[in-house]
Amino acid sequence: AALMVSLAFAQEPDDRVILVPLAKAPKEAPLFFSATADVKIQVGMEEVTSEQEIDFIIHQGKPETLTLGLNGTGEVISVTGEGLRDWSVRVAEDGSRFLDVRPVAGDIKQLQLQVKTRLKIESRPIIPLLPAPGAATGFAVSISLAADSGVELLVEKAEGLVPVDDSNSRKFLGYGPARLELGTLLAGTGARGIELSGTAVAGRLAADG
């Protein structure tokens, strides 16, 4: 087979000519990237929605596909951002889900995306969909919770997360896979669908007291 080489002409008598076989050219550097996510979750009685701002930083390599994990229930309904070519949700054989995003071609170093999710509440506990490290070598997530008017929000479990001081368990920070389990109650007497007024109890005292 023919051998292709690259030649450099000597400029000085002591300069050397180096022959580099094309088949042994240096390999492309592997991809290394990190991601930070700011997640805002809105909880109602019938559904949970979230808006997630995710920042990718590419440290090395060509970012053909950037992959994050997805923990929890619900669906990704949109992914938008300048420099995004397309996105998809991939399901592994064990049921794990991943968000694959592909930037436009080019030597990019940063990518900022807006991800929206939705979960229709059909069972308890409520486990909202959260981003996870996936293929990222560095990862951090901040989460803030809010409830619709008339809804009392209960945080039943927070795994892989640390509550932010003075937030009454409404804000959390994490640096790896995380899981939230939430509950809801109707807040206020007027929101319960039934109200008793002018009530009285009548009867006789039992013989045994």
Side-chain angles (χ1 to χ4, degrees):
L3 177 65
M4 298 182 64
V5 298
S6 61
L7 299 176
F9 292 100
Q11 302 298 320
E12 299 293 340
D14 293 337
D15 286 345
R16 296 180 179 180
V17 175
I18 300 175
L19 304 179
V20 180
L22 188 62
K24 295 184 179 181
K27 293 183 178 180
E28 192 171 286
L31 174 64
F32 289 104
F33 71 93
S34 60
T36 59
D38 182 21
V39 179
K40 293 179 173 60
I41 298 175
Q42 187 71 31
V43 181
M45 289 304 298
E46 296 183 355
E47 71 174 16
V48 176
T49 59
S50 81
E51 295 185 358
Q52 308 180 7
E53 185 170 289
I54 301 178
D55 293 323
F56 294 94
I57 298 178
I58 291 83
H59 303 286
Q60 175 183 286
K62 187 176 180 181
E64 294 183 351
T65 301
L66 304 172
T67 297
L68 291 181
L70 294 172
N71 285 351
T73 55
E75 302 298 332
V76 177
I77 58 176
S78 72
V79 179
T80 57
E82 185 177 353
L84 174 68
R85 182 168 63 173
D86 56 41
W87 64 276
S88 64
V89 173
R90 174 169 49 87
V91 181
E93 291 184 359
D94 62 357
S96 302
R97 291 190 292 171
F98 299 89
L99 176 63
D100 293 333
V101 299
R102 295 199 302 167
V104 295
D107 185 23
I108 67 169
K109 296 301 181 183
Q110 289 184 301
L111 181 67
Q112 186 177 85
L113 300 180
Q114 292 75 45
V115 177
K116 294 185 178 181
T117 73
R118 181 171 57 209
L119 165 62
K120 184 177 180 181
I121 300 175
E122 296 178 337
S123 62
R124 299 294 193 276
I126 302 164
I127 306 173
L129 194 62
L130 299 175
T137 56
F139 179 79
V141 60
S142 62
I143 300 172
S144 60
L145 300 169
D148 290 352
S149 176
V151 176
E152 181 180 347
L153 175 62
L154 307 174
V155 179
E156 298 179 354
K157 186 179 294 186
E159 297 178 349
L161 295 168
V162 177
V164 177
D165 292 342
D166 302 323
S167 68
N168 295 319
S169 294
R170 292 297 182 268
K171 294 183 179 181
F172 297 88
L173 297 175
Y175 301 95
R179 177 184 174 94
L180 274 175
E181 295 186 7
L182 309 176
T184 55
L185 295 173
L186 289 170
T189 57
R192 299 180 183 276
I194 184 171
E195 184 175 347
L196 302 179
S197 61
T199 58
V201 176
R204 292 184 302 172
L205 184 66
D208 60 1

